[in-house]
Amino acid sequence: MIFVLLLLISQTNALYSKKLYRTRGFNAIDIDLEKYDDLNQGSTTINIILENNSLSTVPFLAYCNTKNQQIIKSIVSSPDAIKKQIESNKKLCVFDNNALLYSQRVQQIVLSDQINDENEWAYNKFSIYKLNEKQISIYIYSSDDSQYTIIIKGSQKGECYNQCNNYGLCMSNQILFCQCNEGYIDSTCQLLSPVINAPSLVQFELKEKSFKNILTIPLKSNPASLEIEVNTNASIKTYIGCQHDKDFIPFSESNSFYQTEISTGTIRYSKDDIQYCLDNTNKIEQTLGFRMENFVILLLVNDQTYKTQVALKLYISTNQDDTSGLEIYYILAGALGALIIALLIIICVIYFQRKTRRINNGALNNLNLRSFSVKGNTNRSLRQDYIPVELYEQIIQEYPGLVEISDCQICLVEFQKQDLVKLTYCLHLFHSTCIDEWRKRNHTCPFCREDLNKQKRIQQKQEDQIYQLGVISGDAMQIDEQKLAEFQKREQRLKHLQQTSSPDSANAMQQNGNTPSPFLKGDLITQQLCVQSGN
């Protein structure tokens, strides 16, 4: 049990010195680290802590990298001189900046000999500075008589560098920094800073006489501009910037933070500014080897002699620059792209609808031809109309003038070469299935309204066909043998077309092989033509 207790004690920060001091003005305290045997080179961290025992006066603790007493006294001589040195960022003398800014009772300076030239800038972000030698001096300045305690502690590698306040914990990493609870920031978790997530609306009271209020705004992984709408009953000063942009939470005059005096209006933190914060944090992470959270710090200062009510509305905007006008081009490009896509979809739909209709018409034509002989008396009236079914390609060859009729006047679909069509007595061309369906309900031509069932019209067409064969009216009739041969060839082609298009009707067509064509039925003249052609 005693061994475990000793082991735990040995793992804590070693207390080397704790002395009480009283100072008015400037005081130098020499420290010799050589007398501490357990301070090994390359693994030593010294914590110099000032605990103020006075309630009226705040002494300033400093560690300087120069031995020139005149320079040191010019820096560590007044609050204004110290603030100017901090703002210059030259680090001739270093301070616990946040503690000085907010008059905190405990100030702390951390010196480590693990820091080299490459990683020094990253350690300085956490107020950890380079220890160059074992014999050092610290400096105290107090404007009035003040009583304080100086504590010197040593820590080894793997122990927490800073003294974490407000229940802050050391990060579980080889390099141990304070991990503050929500609502606290800085290297020692002493600064109170409420967390505000965008989008949100917050309202609070800002006290009088240069009261400072710090707000923490977490950053998202995807950069987007941050806008803060401010509404107050008096003018206040606002400062916004990255949490780790400099080595301290800024004084009001800090040039690294954007300063605005505002009562009602909008504070904008652009996408480029946020990206800079993220890049800066990533650079620190890569140098120190541990992951950190990304925040934007908003500092509010009320210089009025009375309290001020503040309302803040935070929201994320996707516009990088309101004056760039790029969003207009994006909108137009998106609208044009959507219009082009819509037109392509409409064209594709029309194309496939027409293609489907052609396929269906072809299938119906074939089906009509196959069932022509099976239906028997059902469609006998249509079979006796003397309008044969033909291929569009062949009928155009016989009647070249019909090529001007490019689509069916019933379905309005363009004719294809292999479509089955019918040519009416009035020389109007339709799909076979279209005209058949039409004539089940109407007995006139869909185009010219000519009666398709009149016997007189049938006879007129038959006489026209006789004249086409070369018949000469008068005392004798004479037939043009060449035209008759072409006519017979056409009749054989129609029979062949019907047989090949309808296997079910093949037997019927063979049985009626000697039956004259519908064009040669109906009167004595056509029968005589058949007899003469047989002779």
Side-chain angles (χ1 to χ4, degrees):
M1 185 70 177
I2 297 176
F3 175 76
V4 174
L5 182 60
L6 292 175
L7 180 62
L8 292 175
I9 294 175
S10 64
Q11 292 179 345
T12 60
N13 290 355
L15 175 62
Y16 296 129
S17 175
K18 183 176 182 180
K19 293 183 180 181
L20 182 65
Y21 293 88
R22 185 183 298 274
T23 299
R24 180 185 179 91
F26 180 82
N27 185 24
I29 301 175
D30 296 328
I31 301 174
D32 185 5
L33 301 178
E34 291 287 353
K35 61 182 180 180
Y36 304 113
D37 297 333
D38 56 342
L39 292 179
N40 300 318
Q41 185 71 24
S43 61
T44 299
T45 299
I46 298 298
N47 295 59
I48 303 173
I49 304 171
L50 183 150
E51 293 183 349
N52 183 28
N53 300 326
S54 176
L55 298 178
S56 58
T57 303
V58 178
F60 299 144
L61 171 66
Y63 168 75
C64 297
N65 292 310
T66 178
K67 298 297 184 181
N68 191 320
Q69 293 292 314
Q70 185 177 357
I71 295 177
I72 294 174
K73 288 182 180 180
S74 66
I75 296 174
V76 189
S77 60
S78 67
D80 291 338
I82 292 174
K83 186 172 69 173
K84 184 177 180 181
Q85 166 65 15
I86 293 175
E87 284 296 325
S88 68
N89 207 28
K90 293 180 180 179
K91 296 187 179 62
L92 289 176
C93 294
V94 295
F95 307 84
D96 188 343
N97 307 322
N98 297 331
L100 297 180
L101 174 62
Y102 295 98
S103 303
Q104 295 172 342
R105 191 183 70 85
V106 178
Q107 301 175 37
Q108 179 176 250
I109 295 177
V110 181
L111 306 175
S112 176
D113 63 357
Q114 301 177 44
I115 299 176
N116 54 45
D117 294 338
E118 295 180 356
N119 60 19
E120 182 178 5
W121 68 273
Y123 276 91
N124 291 165
K125 302 291 185 182
F126 297 89
S127 299
I128 301 174
Y129 303 98
K130 188 175 182 179
L131 177 63
N132 294 317
E133 52 187 355
K134 290 296 185 70
Q135 294 182 349
I136 63 175
S137 297
I138 59 175
Y139 304 94
I140 311 296
Y141 174 81
S142 178
S143 58
D144 297 321
D145 288 333
S146 61
Q147 183 175 327
Y148 53 91
T149 302
I150 297 295
I151 302 173
I152 300 176
K153 292 182 178 182
S155 60
Q156 302 297 317
K157 187 175 183 179
E159 297 177 355
C160 195
Y161 284 119
N162 301 93
Q163 180 180 352
C164 302
N165 300 284
N166 297 306
Y167 304 101
L169 300 175
C170 284
M171 298 181 182
S172 56
N173 192 283
Q174 184 179 9
I175 302 173
L176 301 182
F177 298 97
C178 290
Q179 184 174 9
C180 304
N181 291 316
E182 183 173 317
Y184 293 93
I185 57 174
D186 89 350
S187 58
T188 57
C189 304
Q190 293 187 83
L191 295 182
L192 180 64
S193 178
V195 177
I196 303 177
N197 291 286
S200 64
L201 174 64
V202 293
Q203 296 178 338
F204 53 89
E205 184 180 71
L206 197 60
K207 295 181 181 179
E208 68 276 10
K209 295 181 181 179
S210 300
F211 179 79
K212 300 176 178 64
N213 191 6
I214 300 177
L215 303 177
T216 300
I217 306 172
L219 293 179
K220 304 299 182 181
S221 57
N222 295 326
S225 62
L226 174 66
E227 296 192 5
I228 305 172
E229 292 184 1
V230 181
N231 189 1
T232 67
N233 56 358
S235 178
I236 62 172
K237 293 180 180 179
T238 63
Y239 304 85
I240 187 170
C242 306
Q243 179 182 6
H244 301 293
D245 189 23
K246 295 191 73 174
D247 306 337
F248 58 93
I249 302 300
F251 287 94
S252 300
E253 292 80 4
S254 173
N255 294 326
S256 63
F257 275 53
Y258 297 132
Q259 177 182 354
T260 304
E261 188 167 351
I262 192 172
S263 60
T264 302
T266 302
I267 302 172
R268 291 180 175 85
Y269 205 56
S270 70
K271 181 178 179 180
D272 292 338
D273 295 329
I274 293 179
Q275 185 63 57
Y276 170 78
C277 294
L278 297 178
D279 294 341
N280 189 43
T281 302
N282 292 335
K283 186 179 178 181
I284 297 175
E285 290 178 349
Q286 294 174 3
T287 302
L288 298 181
F290 69 92
R291 187 168 182 79
M292 301 189 308
E293 298 293 334
N294 291 297
F295 298 100
V296 166
I297 300 299
L298 177 64
L299 177 65
L300 306 178
V301 180
N302 181 17
D303 289 333
Q304 308 297 335
T305 58
Y306 50 86
K307 298 178 182 180
T308 301
Q309 298 296 326
V310 180
L312 301 179
K313 182 179 180 182
L314 290 80
Y315 57 93
I316 298 295
S317 174
T318 56
N319 297 329
Q320 179 176 350
D321 190 351
D322 293 338
T323 61
S324 63
L326 292 178
E327 65 276 6
I328 298 178
Y329 295 102
Y330 294 149
I331 294 173
L332 293 177
L336 181 59
L339 180 60
I340 293 175
I341 293 175
L343 289 176
L344 291 176
I345 293 175
I346 294 174
I347 292 173
C348 291
V349 170
I350 294 175
Y351 171 77
F352 284 111
Q353 284 181 345
R354 298 192 68 176
K355 184 176 180 180
T356 303
R357 187 180 296 177
R358 292 169 185 167
I359 295 174
N360 292 337
N361 286 336
L364 289 173
N365 287 335
N366 292 335
L367 181 62
N368 181 68
L369 188 58
R370 293 191 186 100
S371 61
F372 191 75
S373 61
V374 178
K375 290 183 180 179
N377 295 330
T378 304
N379 292 329
R380 182 174 297 275
S381 60
L382 295 180
R383 287 195 293 114
Q384 297 300 326
D385 61 4
Y386 309 109
I387 304 178
V389 178
E390 300 192 60
L391 287 175
Y392 177 76
E393 180 181 20
Q394 294 176 345
I395 201 170
I396 287 300
Q397 293 177 359
E398 296 180 11
Y399 301 96
L402 294 177
V403 73
E404 296 179 359
I405 305 176
S406 60
D407 50 16
C408 176
Q409 297 300 310
I410 297 177
C411 66
L412 302 179
V413 176
E414 186 178 359
F415 289 119
Q416 301 298 316
K417 291 182 178 181
Q418 300 300 318
D419 283 355
L420 297 177
V421 297
K422 283 188 176 182
L423 183 63
T424 62
Y425 314 133
C426 45
L427 297 179
H428 294 129
L429 195 61
F430 306 95
H431 286 119
S432 174
T433 54
C434 294
I435 190 62
D436 288 347
E437 290 297 325
W438 172 272
R439 294 185 62 211
K440 288 179 181 179
R441 301 171 180 81
N442 303 278
H443 300 290
T444 59
C445 174
F447 189 79
C448 65
R449 301 302 177 184
E450 179 73 27
D451 192 345
L452 300 179
N453 289 334
K454 281 185 177 181
Q455 187 65 24
K456 181 178 180 180
R457 184 62 177 167
I458 295 175
Q459 293 176 356
Q460 179 181 354
K461 291 300 179 181
Q462 291 172 347
E463 292 174 358
D464 292 341
Q465 293 159 3
I466 292 174
Y467 288 121
Q468 289 176 4
L469 294 177
V471 177
I472 300 174
S473 59
D475 298 336
M477 290 185 299
Q478 195 173 13
I479 296 178
D480 188 333
E481 297 294 339
Q482 183 178 357
K483 290 185 177 181
L484 180 60
E486 293 177 356
F487 187 81
Q488 290 175 341
K489 184 183 298 184
R490 180 171 181 268
E491 291 300 311
Q492 292 176 0
R493 174 172 53 76
L494 291 175
K495 291 180 181 180
H496 178 71
L497 176 62
Q498 293 178 350
Q499 291 175 356
T500 56
S501 301
S502 176
D504 295 335
S505 63
N507 294 331
M509 299 303 292
Q510 290 176 1
Q511 292 174 3
N512 299 328
N514 296 324
T515 304
S517 168
F519 282 110
L520 301 178
K521 281 187 178 182
D523 60 9
L524 181 59
I525 297 176
T526 56
Q527 292 178 10
Q528 290 177 353
L529 288 175
C530 290
V531 173
Q532 291 184 11
S533 64
N535 295 332

